[in-house]
Each structure stands twice: as C-alpha cells, then as structure tokens.
Amino acid sequence: MSTRELVESIYEQVRTRNAGEPEFHQAAAEVFDSLHVVLDRHPHYAEAGLIERLCEPERQIIFRVPWTDDRGAVHVNRGFRVQYNSVLGPYKGGLRFHPTVNLGIVKFLGFEQIFKNALTGLPIGGGKGGSDFDPKGRSEAEVMRFCQSFMTELHSHIGEHTDVPAGDIGVGGREIGFLFGQYKRLTNRYESGVLTGKGTGWGGSQVRREATGYGAAYFVNDMLQTHNRSLDGTRVVVSGSGNVAIYAIEKIQQLGGLVVACSDSSGYIVDSKGIDLEVLKDIKQVQRGRVSEYVDAHSHASFTADGSIWDVPCDVALPSATENELDDKAATALVKNGVNVVAEGANMPTTPAAIKVLREACVAFAPGKAANAGGVATSALEMQQNASRDSWAFQYTDDRLADIMGKIHSRAVETAEEFGMPGDYVHGANISGFITVADAMIAQGVI
Ligand code: GLU
C-alpha cells in the first residue's frame, strides 16, 4: 500500500467511526493532507497505530448542565470536555459556549489544539470543551448559575496537572471568574493553575486577554517581513469583533496598519479612516451591543447587514470570527481585490475550497493552528506564573508572546522548506506539529 493509500484508508476509518461530525472530518482531512509527505520520508510514524491513536481522543466527557433562569424556569444544556492528547502536557484548550456546540465541533477544535499547542513549543497537551448554552441575552446571574452548574460536573475531570481549560467563543474573563469560584468552592483548593484567562488581580497573566489577537498580528507581520514588508501602511480587514478581532485590530494599529472593516453576526462596518477601537470596545465589551451602533458615533462609516465583509478590498485579511466563515466565493473576491496575505485569527474559518483558491492565486495563507496560537501560548505562560506563584509585567509578557510567535513562524517556514513545499504554512504547521506529537507518542509507548 502506498503512503497515500494508507493515509486515505485511515481517514476513511475516521470518517466512518465519527459519522455526522463534518467539522471534525474537515480538521482531520487538513492534517491528513500533509501526512503522506511525512510518511514517505519517515514511514515509522505509521507504525503501532500511531495515526489511529492520534485521531481517537483519550477521553470524552458529555454531561447534563441543568440551570434555572431568572423567571424560575429550568433549562437543560449539554456540556462537553474532550481530553484529546496528553503526551506533551496536561490537556489544554478553551471552553466554547455557543448554541452550535456539539461533539463534532468540540472534537474538531480539540484535534486542532493538539498541533497548535505542540507548535508553541510549550508543555501543553490538547483538549477542548464547551456547551450549547447561548449566553446572548442572558443576565449576569443566569450566566453565573450556568457556569456554576457546568463546573459542578467538570471539576472532577480537571486540575492543574490534568486538564486546564480556558476561554473561547462565549467564554471570557467573566465566565472564567464564575467557573474558578465554583471550582475553588467544590474542591476547597486555591489551585490557580486549573484555569487560564483569570483576572490579573487573582492569578491571571498580563496579555492573556489580548494574546490571540496580538499573536495573530505578530504572525502576519512576520509573514510580511519574509517579503521585506511590514504591517506599516497596510490595509487590513478583520472579521469578527470579539476578543480575537479586537486585539488583533489593536496590535495591527500599533504596528502601523490600517484596519478598515470588522463585523459581527448582524453585519459589517467599514471605516476607511481606520476603525476607532475605543468606540468599538465600548460597544462590544462594555455595552455588549452590535457593530451597527458604530455608525452612531462615526457617521462617515457604513454598516452593511447583508453581504460579505470579504468584498471589502484589502491587502491583508484576518478571518477572526468563527469556523467556515470564508468560503471559495469570498476567497475569489479577496483575490480579485488583490489580497496578499490571509491569516486565520479564528479556528478553521477558511473552507477547504477557499484555501484552494488562495493557494492557486499564490496568496500567503496561515492556518489558525499557527497564526492564532498566541492565546494558548500565553495561557501556558499563565500556568508558568501560577506554578512559581509569580506575576510578570505586561511588556515582558508581550515580548515573550512576540518571541513565541516568531518561533512558530520560523518553524512553519523551515518545515515547509525541508519537505519541499516552500511558503506553504499549512503543510509547514501540520508537519511540524505532527512530528513533535508523534515523537513523544512513540517515546511513551502504546497508550
Ligand atoms: N480557545 C483558545 C484557542 O483556540 C485558547 C485556549 C487556551 O488558552 O487554553 O486556542
């Protein structure tokens, strides 16, 4: 059997035994697409069921999350934690609270997280969790009761040396606070390292909140630098307006870039003078409102409810909202308007067909597992600070983040070159992450 046939047959097994999980199949297919070149050179990675083991989570926990709303009605949500792979360290990855969350979504995110975490070079395994709970429109008291109920089950499966959750879509500093409080109450332990993304006054790291967005901006700057360019003076579109998008915009602006558009599920705004971040932060972080309100403060800006943010001409695009938000039609529009760089701030926001369009047009494309690894990398820095009961200054932590992103960039570039695919960040990141995990799996035996 050729390596290509072998990889295809394992992929078929993965599809059949994980039926009805298209996002997981998509994430697996993307990694599998890079594997045959590795196996051609290093066939031992296919031995001892290594790839099959890598695709099967070490443990999957699904649980009931009952909670009572402000009117006294009882709701039942479903909670998940998929502990995917722990060869490099305790399971590490966020919790997502969003109505679209199901096992397939959590598995796709957990699978990606294994390689992303490996790429950071830090001692963290891969995991992910969440719930189909929709925080939108819920009061603070309802969110708190939900978080407490969620942690009542989760607490027996996590720990600073076991599994360290953090935030993702719908889970930010507020939710991490409620989750941490309940964990402490249930265990009677002040175990700072059990969750990351904590408040900076009680064990959280400086820069963690900003890290995913800042990291993506550093990564893009590194990509541009390989072509003797930088973000300075570059026109950028960032989709989304959550935690990743807001801090990507902030760092891009600090590096001299002009971010002209961003979005939320209601539509997108364009401000050709550059997004006013103070106004955007107030709308999204303080008022928890919609981006459409931006035009109330800036009448020269425009809001579009129906349409695609990817029709806005730009040099650099950062899809930073959610999975599969940038399809082949959007990619074609970006290419037509002369895009040079696309980097994923979100997890798997670009469809396989869109990646194909970008590849054919020679657009530099960075996958999320490399470009958005700054968030989880800074979580690992938070764990380091917790373990040593220390807290680092903002600038020091930001410098560490920039350094880590630079190393991830070089790893992806060098690996792509080594395997004969120069400039291909997808193969570079997949292969480099895979080899790190696979070597540790081989060393630790059949487990
Ligand atoms: N949810 C983030 C991610 O997708 C961060 C996870 C973490 O900090 O553990 O990587």
Side-chain angles (χ1 to χ4, degrees), residues 81 91-96 109 112-113 116-117 124-125 127-128 164-169 171 195-197 208 212 244 345-347 368-369 372-380 382-383:
R81 187 72 184 165
Y91 308 106
K92 183 84 198 84
L95 298 171
R96 175 178 293 191
L109 291 163
E112 290 254 307
Q113 200 83 45
K116 184 197 303 196
N117 294 5
I124 39 178
K128 203 85 188 191
V164 183
D168 195 83
I169 294 172
V171 178
L195 289 167
T196 59
R208 174 62 193 89
T212 312
V244 179
N347 291 314
K369 55 174 86 70
N372 75 32
V376 76
T378 309
S379 276
E382 184 169 327
M383 291 162 72

Side-chain angles (χ1 to χ4, degrees), residues 262-394:
C262 69
S263 63
D264 64 16
S265 54
S266 71
Y268 68 90
I269 50 167
V270 178
D271 184 343
S272 50
K273 292 187 188 162
I275 298 288
D276 180 340
L277 202 52
E278 221 172 291
V279 169
L280 184 68
K281 278 186 181 173
D282 183 60
I283 295 169
K284 299 306 293 189
Q285 297 183 330
V286 183
Q287 321 289 340
R288 292 182 189 265
R290 320 299 301 154
V291 288
S292 53
E293 293 159 35
Y294 184 90
V295 293
D296 300 340
H298 288 296
S299 53
H300 65 270
S302 66
F303 170 72
T304 309
D306 311 306
S308 165
I309 189 172
W310 308 117
D311 288 335
V312 180
C314 62
D315 192 346
V316 171
L318 271 94
S320 305
T322 195
E323 61 269 8
N324 292 330
E325 57 166 303
L326 198 168
D327 60 12
D328 46 340
K329 197 166 152 251
T332 308
L334 281 169
V335 169
K336 198 176 116 243
N337 287 327
V339 77
N340 282 303
V341 172
V342 176
E344 295 187 323
N347 291 314
M348 210 170 74
T350 321
T351 66
I355 296 175
K356 191 162 171 270
V357 170
L358 298 174
R359 265 204 179 116
E360 281 166 7
C362 296
V363 173
F365 171 74
K369 55 174 86 70
N372 75 32
V376 76
T378 309
S379 276
L381 301 183
E382 184 169 327
M383 291 162 72
Q384 281 185 34
Q385 292 168 77
N386 293 154
S388 57
R389 298 186 183 276
D390 198 1
S391 62
W392 306 341
F394 191 96

Side-chain angles (χ1 to χ4, degrees), residues 182-258:
Q182 183 72 352
Y183 181 85
K184 182 168 68 65
R185 180 191 194 193
L186 290 165
T187 58
N188 194 26
R189 279 164 62 85
Y190 203 105
E191 193 183 323
S192 297
V194 70
L195 289 167
T196 59
K198 300 180 292 295
T200 48
W202 46 277
S205 174
Q206 298 289 346
V207 195
R208 174 62 193 89
R209 188 182 45 165
E210 295 84 357
T212 312
Y214 276 20
Y218 289 135
F219 198 91
V220 167
N221 214 35
D222 289 339
M223 290 171 85
L224 289 167
Q225 263 164 18
T226 59
H227 296 101
N228 297 318
R229 294 187 49 199
S230 79
L231 272 166
D232 198 13
T234 300
R235 192 179 152 97
V236 186
V237 167
V238 178
S239 66
S241 51
N243 189 55
V244 179
I246 283 183
Y247 294 104
I249 296 172
E250 184 164 285
K251 187 53 78 178
I252 290 165
Q253 289 180 345
Q254 285 172 15
L255 295 170
L258 181 74

